């Protein structure tokens, strides 16, 4: 299982890739649901961080 630091690194890398495409350029077809997936990943990541805050011994 990935550590929280690795999750944050992955998320920020993918957000940077998504944002690197100029707004006036057409997005690739693979990006059709990218924003929704990134937001779901972010929510899951925050739930995990909050869980670790509440119970530090539960760190992944």
């Amino acid at each position: 299982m990935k550590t929280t630091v690795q999750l944050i690194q992955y998320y920020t890398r993918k957000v940077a890739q998504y944002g690197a495409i100029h707004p006036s350029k057409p997005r690739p077809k693979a990006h059709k649901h990218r924003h929704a997936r990134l937001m779901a990943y972010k929510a899951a990541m925050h739930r995990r961080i909050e869980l670790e805050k509440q119970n530090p011994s539960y760190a992944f």
Side-chain angles (χ1 to χ4, degrees):
M1 185 171 273
K2 292 183 179 184
T3 65
T4 304
V5 173
Q6 290 171 326
L7 293 174
I8 294 169
Q9 289 172 340
Y10 176 81
Y11 173 75
T12 55
R13 186 173 62 245
K14 291 300 178 180
V15 168
Q17 287 175 355
Y18 183 74
I21 299 172
H22 195 274
S24 67
K25 302 280 182 185
R27 295 223 179 252
K29 290 189 187 291
H31 283 205
K32 185 175 182 182
H33 302 290
R34 174 73 51 100
H35 184 264
R37 289 193 310 262
L38 285 171
M39 292 301 105
Y41 192 89
K42 180 181 175 183
M45 185 175 59
H46 280 280
R47 281 193 300 271
R48 183 168 161 176
I49 291 169
E50 289 299 320
L51 183 64
E52 287 179 6
K53 276 188 197 177
Q54 293 171 1
N55 191 357
S57 64
Y58 193 65
F60 293 93

